[in-house]
Structures are given as C-alpha cells and as structure tokens.
Amino acid sequence: MAGRPKLASGILLTPDEIPLDVVIRSVAHPGTGATVLFLGTVRDTGEDGRVRGITYEAYVPMAEKSLAEIRSAILRRWPVKKVTIVHRFGRLKLEDISVAIAVSSAHRAEAFEACRFAIETIKKSVPIWKKETLATGAGVWVKGKEIVEASSARRK
Amino acid sequence: MESVRVRVVYFGIAKDLAGRREEEFSLTAPASTEDLLSETEKRHAGLRRLRGLARVAVNEELAGESLQLLGGERVAILPPVAGG
C-alpha cells in the first residue's frame, strides 16, 4: 500500500482494508464528547442462501461525489463536529468491513442520528453494487434499490 | 444525417447482461437518453429486464428520463444500487 490515507476530505473509496484507527482519528475534535462508528460487514447469509464473499463494484468518480454530498448534508443538518465515510470495493471475504462511518459531536444523540442517516442514504444513493458469491460458487447480484439523488434523501 | 456519438458504460448486472463494460453508440440526431436506452436494448436484449429499474447518469450526473444528448457524453447505466 502506498502510504496510509489521511482522510482529509472525510471521504474515501478504496480497494484496500479500511484503516479503522485512521477513520476514528479523522473525526477527533476537542469539542467532541461522543463518537459513533458504524461498520458494515460481509455476512454469511443473503437473499439466495449461504454466502462465501461479496464483490463490490463502484462507479468511482460518481460514488465519491455522492458520498461527499451525503457528508455535506449531514454537516448542514446536524450540529456534529466531523464526519468520515469510507467504502470499500473489490472482493471481500466474510467478516470484512465494507463500509465505515464515523461521526463525532458534542453529544451522542445527533451523532447516532447522523450516522444512521449516512448508512441509510448510502444504500439508496451511491452507485455501488454487490455480487454475492454463494456457497455453490455461483455469483448473484444483490437486487438493490433504484438510485436516487443524495440531495433528495430525506431526514428520517 | 448528423449523428450523436456517445460512450456507454455498464455497471452491476447491466455489465453482465450487456456482456461488456463499455461500448460506443452512434445515434441519429436529435437523440435523447431514452433513445439511447432503446438502442442498448436492441443490441443486448437482456437489458430489457432493467427497464424502469435502471437509471442513467450523463457525465456522472443522474439524468431525467429524456435528457438530450449532444455527442461526446459518457452515459452510465446504473441498475438498482446496493452499497453498504
């Protein structure tokens, strides 16, 4: 790996393992009393049975833009200090971390809410697809949701 | 007749249904994204099952149903997404 990503922009799409220590440090702030970290991981069960792994595909330049929009939307809507969103692509094994979202704020309520909003919005507005490799070796695309603009996503 | 040339990029299941990642299309002007979708379905019948489900992005921006194409655009076919 060519150096550790610094996450200065708060957004990263990467084929490499997500460096959780870097993610957590990237939302550090002296005004913070709560940091919420959400991790999405590869599960062994899918719509079509037992799963052995997942291959994530991303339309990288567009996905980066929509992750950045989600991050900006959060910073506008909640009084949180910092937000970092990292999503992986490529071939992942069971238990691998596919997405990490860290939100820091003065108090916990807004950090939990903002983090929830981030993962729900990612699932419907970022051009990322996943193909599950089943125990049989067959590959199946996960059905997914029709893509909508990140900016049209509503606060829950 | 003037023609409109665009590059189409397929993602997710659309890539499997089209059997390729990307290709060129040459349409008769005036042409819209809707016209382009019909052309992709003519070339790859399997893509018809994404009708009403997939959306298109023109130069990395999600497009409405019938955006006009001028030529030189990069049009991505985006099936329902499943990040996270």
Short mmCIF file of all heavy atoms in Angstrom, two decimals, chain A residues 23-37 74-84 101-116 155:
data_model
loop_
_atom_site.label_atom_id
_atom_site.label_comp_id
_atom_site.label_asym_id
_atom_site.label_seq_id
_atom_site.Cartn_x
_atom_site.Cartn_y
_atom_site.Cartn_z
N VAL A 23 -9.65 6.19 10.54
CA VAL A 23 -11.03 6.68 10.45
C VAL A 23 -11.42 7.36 11.76
O VAL A 23 -11.94 8.48 11.77
CB VAL A 23 -12.01 5.52 10.14
CG1 VAL A 23 -13.46 5.98 10.25
CG2 VAL A 23 -11.74 4.96 8.75
N ILE A 24 -11.14 6.71 12.87
CA ILE A 24 -11.53 7.25 14.18
C ILE A 24 -10.76 8.54 14.48
O ILE A 24 -11.33 9.54 14.90
CB ILE A 24 -11.32 6.19 15.29
CG1 ILE A 24 -12.30 5.03 15.06
CG2 ILE A 24 -11.52 6.81 16.68
CD1 ILE A 24 -12.01 3.80 15.89
N ARG A 25 -9.48 8.52 14.19
CA ARG A 25 -8.67 9.72 14.46
C ARG A 25 -9.13 10.90 13.58
O ARG A 25 -9.03 12.05 13.99
CB ARG A 25 -7.19 9.43 14.22
CG ARG A 25 -6.33 9.96 15.35
CD ARG A 25 -4.87 9.55 15.21
NE ARG A 25 -4.74 8.14 14.90
CZ ARG A 25 -3.99 7.62 13.93
NH1 ARG A 25 -3.28 8.37 13.18
NH2 ARG A 25 -3.93 6.33 13.71
N SER A 26 -9.64 10.60 12.40
CA SER A 26 -10.02 11.67 11.48
C SER A 26 -11.21 12.49 11.99
O SER A 26 -11.45 13.59 11.50
CB SER A 26 -10.35 11.10 10.10
OG SER A 26 -11.58 10.40 10.14
N VAL A 27 -11.97 11.96 12.96
CA VAL A 27 -13.11 12.74 13.48
C VAL A 27 -12.83 13.29 14.88
O VAL A 27 -13.73 13.80 15.54
CB VAL A 27 -14.44 11.93 13.46
CG1 VAL A 27 -14.83 11.57 12.03
CG2 VAL A 27 -14.35 10.69 14.34
N ALA A 28 -11.58 13.19 15.32
CA ALA A 28 -11.22 13.73 16.65
C ALA A 28 -11.38 15.24 16.63
O ALA A 28 -11.11 15.90 15.63
CB ALA A 28 -9.78 13.35 16.98
N HIS A 29 -11.86 15.78 17.77
CA HIS A 29 -12.10 17.22 17.88
C HIS A 29 -12.25 17.51 19.38
O HIS A 29 -12.93 16.77 20.08
CB HIS A 29 -13.38 17.56 17.12
CG HIS A 29 -13.71 19.02 17.10
ND1 HIS A 29 -14.25 19.67 18.18
CD2 HIS A 29 -13.55 19.95 16.12
CE1 HIS A 29 -14.42 20.95 17.86
NE2 HIS A 29 -14.00 21.14 16.62
N PRO A 30 -11.64 18.60 19.86
CA PRO A 30 -11.72 18.87 21.31
C PRO A 30 -13.14 19.15 21.80
O PRO A 30 -13.43 18.96 22.99
CB PRO A 30 -10.82 20.09 21.50
CG PRO A 30 -10.57 20.64 20.14
CD PRO A 30 -10.76 19.53 19.16
N GLY A 31 -14.03 19.53 20.91
CA GLY A 31 -15.41 19.82 21.33
C GLY A 31 -16.30 18.60 21.33
O GLY A 31 -17.51 18.69 21.52
N THR A 32 -15.71 17.43 21.11
CA THR A 32 -16.46 16.19 20.97
C THR A 32 -16.57 15.42 22.28
O THR A 32 -15.58 15.23 22.97
CB THR A 32 -15.75 15.33 19.90
OG1 THR A 32 -16.14 15.80 18.63
CG2 THR A 32 -16.13 13.87 20.02
N GLY A 33 -17.81 15.01 22.60
CA GLY A 33 -18.00 14.16 23.76
C GLY A 33 -18.48 12.78 23.35
O GLY A 33 -18.56 11.86 24.15
N ALA A 34 -18.83 12.63 22.06
CA ALA A 34 -19.36 11.35 21.58
C ALA A 34 -18.89 11.09 20.15
O ALA A 34 -18.95 11.99 19.31
CB ALA A 34 -20.88 11.36 21.62
N THR A 35 -18.43 9.89 19.91
CA THR A 35 -18.10 9.48 18.54
C THR A 35 -18.83 8.18 18.26
O THR A 35 -18.71 7.22 19.02
CB THR A 35 -16.58 9.28 18.36
OG1 THR A 35 -15.93 10.54 18.55
CG2 THR A 35 -16.24 8.75 16.98
N VAL A 36 -19.62 8.16 17.18
CA VAL A 36 -20.33 6.95 16.79
C VAL A 36 -19.64 6.39 15.56
O VAL A 36 -19.35 7.12 14.61
CB VAL A 36 -21.82 7.24 16.47
CG1 VAL A 36 -22.48 6.03 15.84
CG2 VAL A 36 -22.55 7.64 17.75
N LEU A 37 -19.35 5.09 15.60
CA LEU A 37 -18.71 4.42 14.47
C LEU A 37 -19.63 3.30 13.99
O LEU A 37 -19.99 2.42 14.77
CB LEU A 37 -17.37 3.82 14.92
CG LEU A 37 -16.62 2.97 13.89
CD1 LEU A 37 -16.13 3.84 12.74
CD2 LEU A 37 -15.44 2.25 14.55
N ILE A 74 -25.11 15.98 6.01
CA ILE A 74 -25.06 15.75 7.46
C ILE A 74 -24.54 16.98 8.19
O ILE A 74 -25.11 17.42 9.18
CB ILE A 74 -24.17 14.52 7.77
CG1 ILE A 74 -24.90 13.25 7.32
CG2 ILE A 74 -23.82 14.46 9.26
CD1 ILE A 74 -24.04 12.02 7.38
N LEU A 75 -23.46 17.56 7.66
CA LEU A 75 -22.87 18.72 8.33
C LEU A 75 -23.81 19.92 8.34
O LEU A 75 -23.74 20.77 9.23
CB LEU A 75 -21.52 19.07 7.69
CG LEU A 75 -20.42 18.03 7.93
CD1 LEU A 75 -19.22 18.26 7.03
CD2 LEU A 75 -19.99 18.02 9.40
N ARG A 76 -24.72 19.96 7.34
CA ARG A 76 -25.70 21.04 7.31
C ARG A 76 -26.86 20.79 8.28
O ARG A 76 -27.39 21.70 8.87
CB ARG A 76 -26.31 21.16 5.89
CG ARG A 76 -25.48 21.99 4.93
CD ARG A 76 -26.33 22.39 3.71
NE ARG A 76 -27.04 21.27 3.11
CZ ARG A 76 -26.53 20.49 2.16
NH1 ARG A 76 -25.30 20.69 1.72
NH2 ARG A 76 -27.23 19.50 1.65
N ARG A 77 -27.26 19.51 8.39
CA ARG A 77 -28.50 19.21 9.13
C ARG A 77 -28.32 18.97 10.62
O ARG A 77 -29.26 19.13 11.40
CB ARG A 77 -29.16 17.96 8.54
CG ARG A 77 -29.70 18.20 7.17
CD ARG A 77 -30.22 16.91 6.62
NE ARG A 77 -30.38 17.01 5.19
CZ ARG A 77 -31.07 16.14 4.46
NH1 ARG A 77 -31.65 15.12 5.05
NH2 ARG A 77 -31.16 16.29 3.17
N TRP A 78 -27.16 18.48 11.02
CA TRP A 78 -26.94 18.18 12.43
C TRP A 78 -25.74 18.98 12.95
O TRP A 78 -24.77 19.20 12.21
CB TRP A 78 -26.67 16.69 12.63
CG TRP A 78 -27.89 15.84 12.55
CD1 TRP A 78 -28.79 15.59 13.56
CD2 TRP A 78 -28.36 15.09 11.41
NE1 TRP A 78 -29.79 14.75 13.10
CE2 TRP A 78 -29.55 14.44 11.80
CE3 TRP A 78 -27.90 14.94 10.10
CZ2 TRP A 78 -30.28 13.62 10.94
CZ3 TRP A 78 -28.63 14.13 9.24
CH2 TRP A 78 -29.80 13.48 9.66
N PRO A 79 -25.79 19.35 14.21
CA PRO A 79 -24.66 20.10 14.78
C PRO A 79 -23.52 19.14 15.18
O PRO A 79 -23.12 19.11 16.33
CB PRO A 79 -25.29 20.78 15.99
CG PRO A 79 -26.36 19.84 16.43
CD PRO A 79 -26.88 19.18 15.18
N VAL A 80 -23.04 18.37 14.21
CA VAL A 80 -21.96 17.43 14.52
C VAL A 80 -20.63 18.08 14.17
O VAL A 80 -20.57 19.05 13.41
CB VAL A 80 -22.13 16.09 13.76
CG1 VAL A 80 -23.42 15.40 14.18
CG2 VAL A 80 -22.12 16.29 12.25
N LYS A 81 -19.56 17.56 14.76
CA LYS A 81 -18.25 18.16 14.53
C LYS A 81 -17.61 17.68 13.24
O LYS A 81 -17.23 18.46 12.39
CB LYS A 81 -17.30 17.86 15.72
CG LYS A 81 -17.78 18.38 17.05
CD LYS A 81 -17.83 19.89 17.10
CE LYS A 81 -18.25 20.35 18.50
NZ LYS A 81 -18.71 21.74 18.49
N LYS A 82 -17.46 16.35 13.13
CA LYS A 82 -16.78 15.81 11.95
C LYS A 82 -17.43 14.51 11.47
O LYS A 82 -18.00 13.77 12.28
CB LYS A 82 -15.30 15.55 12.26
CG LYS A 82 -14.51 16.82 12.47
CD LYS A 82 -13.04 16.49 12.58
CE LYS A 82 -12.21 17.76 12.63
NZ LYS A 82 -10.77 17.43 12.67
N VAL A 83 -17.31 14.26 10.18
CA VAL A 83 -17.90 13.06 9.57
C VAL A 83 -16.89 12.45 8.61
O VAL A 83 -16.31 13.16 7.78
CB VAL A 83 -19.17 13.42 8.77
CG1 VAL A 83 -19.76 12.18 8.12
CG2 VAL A 83 -20.21 14.11 9.65
N THR A 84 -16.68 11.16 8.72
CA THR A 84 -15.83 10.45 7.75
C THR A 84 -16.58 9.23 7.24
O THR A 84 -17.19 8.49 8.02
CB THR A 84 -14.49 10.00 8.40
OG1 THR A 84 -13.72 11.17 8.67
CG2 THR A 84 -13.71 9.08 7.48
N ILE A 101 -18.38 4.39 8.90
CA ILE A 101 -18.87 5.77 9.02
C ILE A 101 -18.58 6.22 10.45
O ILE A 101 -18.98 5.55 11.40
CB ILE A 101 -20.40 5.85 8.80
CG1 ILE A 101 -20.77 5.28 7.42
CG2 ILE A 101 -20.90 7.29 8.94
CD1 ILE A 101 -22.23 4.94 7.28
N ALA A 102 -17.87 7.32 10.59
CA ALA A 102 -17.58 7.86 11.92
C ALA A 102 -18.14 9.27 11.99
O ALA A 102 -17.96 10.08 11.08
CB ALA A 102 -16.08 7.86 12.18
N VAL A 103 -18.86 9.54 13.09
CA VAL A 103 -19.43 10.87 13.32
C VAL A 103 -19.11 11.29 14.74
O VAL A 103 -19.34 10.52 15.68
CB VAL A 103 -20.98 10.86 13.15
CG1 VAL A 103 -21.54 12.27 13.35
CG2 VAL A 103 -21.38 10.32 11.79
N SER A 104 -18.56 12.49 14.89
CA SER A 104 -18.28 12.99 16.23
C SER A 104 -19.12 14.23 16.48
O SER A 104 -19.38 15.02 15.57
CB SER A 104 -16.79 13.31 16.38
OG SER A 104 -16.42 14.35 15.49
N SER A 105 -19.56 14.37 17.74
CA SER A 105 -20.35 15.55 18.09
C SER A 105 -20.22 15.81 19.58
O SER A 105 -19.65 15.00 20.32
CB SER A 105 -21.82 15.35 17.71
OG SER A 105 -22.34 14.25 18.41
N ALA A 106 -20.75 16.95 20.01
CA ALA A 106 -20.67 17.31 21.42
C ALA A 106 -21.42 16.27 22.26
O ALA A 106 -20.95 15.83 23.30
CB ALA A 106 -21.25 18.70 21.64
N HIS A 107 -22.60 15.88 21.76
CA HIS A 107 -23.44 14.93 22.50
C HIS A 107 -23.86 13.77 21.60
O HIS A 107 -23.86 13.90 20.38
CB HIS A 107 -24.68 15.65 23.04
CG HIS A 107 -24.32 16.83 23.89
ND1 HIS A 107 -23.82 16.70 25.17
CD2 HIS A 107 -24.31 18.17 23.61
CE1 HIS A 107 -23.55 17.91 25.66
NE2 HIS A 107 -23.84 18.82 24.74
N ARG A 108 -24.23 12.66 22.22
CA ARG A 108 -24.42 11.42 21.45
C ARG A 108 -25.63 11.40 20.52
O ARG A 108 -25.58 10.77 19.47
CB ARG A 108 -24.47 10.21 22.39
CG ARG A 108 -25.68 10.20 23.31
CD ARG A 108 -25.57 9.12 24.36
NE ARG A 108 -26.68 9.15 25.31
CZ ARG A 108 -26.79 10.00 26.32
NH1 ARG A 108 -25.86 10.91 26.53
NH2 ARG A 108 -27.82 9.95 27.14
N ALA A 109 -26.73 12.06 20.89
CA ALA A 109 -27.97 11.91 20.12
C ALA A 109 -27.78 12.24 18.65
O ALA A 109 -28.16 11.47 17.76
CB ALA A 109 -29.08 12.77 20.72
N GLU A 110 -27.19 13.40 18.36
CA GLU A 110 -27.03 13.81 16.96
C GLU A 110 -26.01 12.94 16.23
O GLU A 110 -26.15 12.71 15.02
CB GLU A 110 -26.69 15.30 16.84
CG GLU A 110 -25.47 15.75 17.59
CD GLU A 110 -25.78 16.29 18.98
OE1 GLU A 110 -26.79 15.85 19.59
OE2 GLU A 110 -25.01 17.14 19.47
N ALA A 111 -25.04 12.41 16.95
CA ALA A 111 -24.05 11.55 16.29
C ALA A 111 -24.72 10.24 15.85
O ALA A 111 -24.50 9.75 14.73
CB ALA A 111 -22.89 11.26 17.24
N PHE A 112 -25.58 9.67 16.71
CA PHE A 112 -26.29 8.44 16.34
C PHE A 112 -27.21 8.70 15.15
O PHE A 112 -27.23 7.94 14.19
CB PHE A 112 -27.13 7.92 17.52
CG PHE A 112 -26.37 7.02 18.46
CD1 PHE A 112 -26.10 7.41 19.76
CD2 PHE A 112 -25.95 5.76 18.04
CE1 PHE A 112 -25.40 6.57 20.64
CE2 PHE A 112 -25.26 4.91 18.91
CZ PHE A 112 -24.98 5.33 20.21
N GLU A 113 -27.98 9.78 15.23
CA GLU A 113 -28.93 10.11 14.15
C GLU A 113 -28.22 10.31 12.82
O GLU A 113 -28.65 9.81 11.78
CB GLU A 113 -29.70 11.39 14.48
CG GLU A 113 -30.93 11.19 15.29
CD GLU A 113 -31.67 12.50 15.51
OE1 GLU A 113 -31.75 13.33 14.57
OE2 GLU A 113 -32.15 12.72 16.64
N ALA A 114 -27.15 11.09 12.84
CA ALA A 114 -26.43 11.41 11.61
C ALA A 114 -25.81 10.16 11.01
O ALA A 114 -25.80 9.96 9.79
CB ALA A 114 -25.37 12.47 11.89
N CYS A 115 -25.32 9.28 11.87
CA CYS A 115 -24.67 8.05 11.40
C CYS A 115 -25.72 7.15 10.74
O CYS A 115 -25.48 6.58 9.67
CB CYS A 115 -24.02 7.36 12.60
SG CYS A 115 -22.80 6.18 12.12
N ARG A 116 -26.90 7.07 11.34
CA ARG A 116 -28.00 6.28 10.79
C ARG A 116 -28.39 6.83 9.42
O ARG A 116 -28.58 6.08 8.46
CB ARG A 116 -29.19 6.33 11.77
CG ARG A 116 -30.43 5.60 11.29
CD ARG A 116 -30.21 4.11 11.44
NE ARG A 116 -31.21 3.34 10.73
CZ ARG A 116 -32.32 2.88 11.29
NH1 ARG A 116 -32.58 3.11 12.56
NH2 ARG A 116 -33.15 2.16 10.59
N ARG A 155 -34.45 13.44 5.66
CA ARG A 155 -34.10 13.12 7.03
C ARG A 155 -35.19 12.24 7.61
O ARG A 155 -36.37 12.48 7.38
CB ARG A 155 -34.02 14.44 7.81
CG ARG A 155 -33.61 14.28 9.24
CD ARG A 155 -33.48 15.65 9.84
NE ARG A 155 -33.16 15.56 11.25
CZ ARG A 155 -32.79 16.60 11.96
NH1 ARG A 155 -32.68 17.77 11.42
NH2 ARG A 155 -32.51 16.45 13.24
#
